[in-house]
Amino acid sequence: MIDRTELQRRARRKLLTIQRRRNDVRYQRVVGRFVAEGLLHTNQEVAKYALPIRVEDVLWAGEVEPRLLELLPALIVKQPSMFVEVGALPEDLAQAVRRLRRNLDPAPFRNIPGEKLREWLPRVGRVGAVPARLKSFRLKPEDLRLLSALAEQLGVSETEVVRRGLRALA
């Protein structure tokens, strides 16, 4: 059993670690970038940062501020220009990004539930927009002519004609 003094000693040590990380340049840049984008609000003074940031720095800063990790996969999908390079991602992050691109719930990412990660997808980048999934269909020539004629008549794309047809049948 842990006594009170040991518990206090551990808490002080943890607090010092958090304070040291918050003063680190990487943390300041990451939080500054998120604040500049309007994605994060803090009760501390943080200088806004406009340049792209590294994904590794966000993962590092996310150990102190979990809200950064909650936003990260959705930002990689919807706003990759926020980051220096999104090519080589850690496997757990890459898997979460793949699932979000298909508009599916990812597995938990660094102790954050997949549903929580997916909630951010329509809230960042173009608000309300979620990734569309590509579907291929083989249509007969008469179906293609009908689809083109309806699209022209309604003044919308062929994809929108299919969407409206699906909604009408549902």
Side-chain angles (χ1 to χ4, degrees), residues 123-140:
R123 297 165 80 185
V124 298
R126 220 175 78 221
V127 176
V130 293
R133 292 180 59 193
L134 179 64
K135 292 286 187 179
S136 297
F137 298 101
R138 297 189 189 282
L139 299 174
K140 295 179 182 174

Side-chain angles (χ1 to χ4, degrees), residues 10-25 27-28 31 44 60-66:
R10 287 183 184 182
R12 267 196 233 75
R13 201 168 59 212
K14 183 73 171 173
L15 180 62
L16 287 173
T17 302
I18 289 171
Q19 288 172 338
R20 198 170 28 252
R21 283 196 175 206
R22 282 192 173 155
N23 292 328
D24 192 285
V25 173
Y27 180 86
Q28 294 293 321
V31 172
Q44 303 165 347
W60 181 86
E63 293 177 17
V64 174
E65 182 54 71

Side-chain angles (χ1 to χ4, degrees), residues 66-67 69-74 96 100 104-124:
R67 293 180 297 171
L69 296 178
E70 197 174 298
L71 279 161
L72 181 60
L100 286 177
L104 302 170
D105 282 342
F109 169 67
R110 302 196 183 193
N111 297 325
I112 299 170
E115 307 85 51
K116 202 78 156 135
L117 299 174
R118 189 163 177 255
E119 283 177 15
W120 285 103
L121 204 53
R123 297 165 80 185
V124 298

